Amino acid sequence: MSLSGKAKVAAVIGWPVSHSLSPRLHGFWLERAGIDGTYIPLAVAPENIHDAIRALPKLGLRGANVTVPHKEAALQAADHATDRARRMGAANTLVVNADGSITADNTDGYGFLENLRSGAPDWTAAAGPAVVLGAGGAARGVICALLEAGVPAIRLLNRTRARAEALAADLARHFPAQPIEVGEWEQRETLLAGSALLVNTTTQGMHGQPALELSLAALPPSAVVTDIVYVPLLTPLLEQAKQRGHVIVDGLGMLLHQARPGFTAWFGSEPIVDEALRSHMLGFVGR
Ligand code: ATR
């Protein structure tokens, strides 16, 4: 629809930003709800990120998503931050408040959990420990969300063990009652025993990357398997898990669900994630 002079404006800020699927996603919701609003990509170089974020209220924007490499800078530039953004040390969602101040939030972990809950409705946090593969920014979001949800313990496995140790030590400050046990990458197959959830946050299995080398033989049949990779939708890990009869959850929904809080705050309408949105987005997911 065409915009009026009162249109609500939000953006995604990145460098580069051309790969971002967020304009397609928010554009779908805006169109579906018939909202007088728009969501635009803004390519902002690192040296300009602070000024660009501080300009959001001055330009009358409702807020923005922030993507690589600006997530840490976005947290720094905001006036306020949610607890979950502070725990992450990074923001992906900025909301301009009525007084012109900016609140930084991080909805990546929320998106992960909402996707997991909708794809595996029988999974409960209390079901048992979760194995998390990888120790980058994505793993941080996943672990925070799982511990907030009440998962009793995390087994963290990463090719570079020191990185996993550093992440575990840092997160232990926020979650002292729930252990984050770092295991040997070479032992990853045996460490699957007794776990209720397996999450891949590494880039292995992504289009153009080799498959994750992992036999699921030791994983209890009741365990849920999820991958944050969504290109391809069915990664070799999910394929193997499906063949073994595990409940599997693909990574596309994490992208869709993490966008919901921002849309609600900026445009005043609660968007839903459904099959129509998934198939719309799949049309743009590059392979
Ligand atoms: P993000 O912040 O998006 O999570 P990242 O910081 O690049 O991305 O992390 C990628 C993850 O994939 C890391 O855990 C990485 O392991 P290292 O810390 O050892 O680099 C993991 N990864 C990448 N290539 C891998 C490979 N060939 N085998 C195992 N893990 C791999």
Side-chain angles (χ1 to χ4, degrees):
M1 66 184 260
S2 63
L3 302 174
S4 80
K6 294 180 198 154
K8 297 168 181 169
V9 183
V12 54
I13 302 174
W15 185 257
V17 79
S18 54
H19 64 282
S20 175
L21 292 171
S22 294
R24 301 290 190 187
L25 172 52
H26 288 276
F28 178 90
W29 281 332
L30 285 167
E31 180 93 23
R32 179 150 75 177
I35 291 171
D36 184 15
T38 189
Y39 181 98
I40 55 173
L42 297 176
V44 176
E47 61 269 29
N48 296 324
I49 187 62
H50 185 86
D51 290 348
I53 289 173
R54 296 311 312 175
L56 293 173
K58 297 178 191 169
L59 291 168
L61 268 73
R62 297 289 174 131
N65 282 127
V66 183
T67 186
V68 179
H70 298 320
K71 291 184 174 191
E72 286 82 11
L75 180 66
Q76 300 302 321
D79 301 293
H80 317 285
T82 60
D83 288 346
R84 60 190 182 189
R86 276 188 225 285
R87 275 196 289 268
M88 288 290 289
N92 73 339
T93 304
L94 299 173
V95 176
V96 174
N97 303 304
D99 65 0
S101 64
I102 301 172
T103 298
D105 192 9
N106 194 310
T107 65
D108 284 336
Y110 167 85
F112 168 77
L113 208 60
E114 287 288 296
N115 183 42
L116 178 62
R117 287 196 163 127
S118 86
D122 292 336
W123 175 84
T124 62
V131 173
V132 176
L133 305 175
R140 191 181 181 96
V142 164
I143 295 170
C144 285
L146 290 174
L147 293 178
E148 275 164 37
V151 166
I154 302 287
R155 287 181 200 154
L156 178 57
L157 309 170
N158 192 50
R159 177 181 60 176
T160 309
R161 185 180 172 124
R163 209 172 168 206
E165 300 275 10
L167 179 59
D170 189 44
L171 291 180
R173 295 183 297 125
H174 300 289
F175 302 98
Q178 292 151 289
I180 305 172
E181 300 149 2
V182 175
E184 270 304 317
W185 182 247
E186 270 61 42
Q187 306 285 309
R188 60 193 180 281
E189 293 185 353
T190 48
L191 291 169
L192 297 176
S195 61
L197 176 69
L198 170 63
V199 188
N200 176 47
T201 77
T202 77
T203 47
Q204 299 290 278
M206 192 184 279
H207 180 72
Q209 299 283 333
L212 189 66
E213 278 180 43
L214 185 72
S215 158
L216 299 180
L219 191 68
S222 58
V224 173
V225 180
T226 183
D227 204 323
I228 70 159
V229 170
Y230 59 85
V231 183
L233 214 47
L234 200 62
T235 60
L237 173 68
L238 293 182
E239 184 91 57
Q240 184 192 164
K242 191 178 171 187
Q243 275 166 18
R244 291 177 47 86
H246 294 280
V247 172
I248 61 166
V249 182
D250 69 58
L252 180 63
M254 180 176 173
L255 169 76
L256 309 182
H257 284 283
Q258 63 77 31
R260 285 171 41 213
F263 188 93
T264 305
W266 307 320
F267 301 115
S269 161
E270 283 202 20
I272 55 162
V273 170
D274 59 8
E275 261 325 298
L277 176 66
R278 272 178 67 90
S279 52
H280 171 78
M281 294 305 293
L282 279 174
F284 303 109
V285 170
R287 259 148 219 270

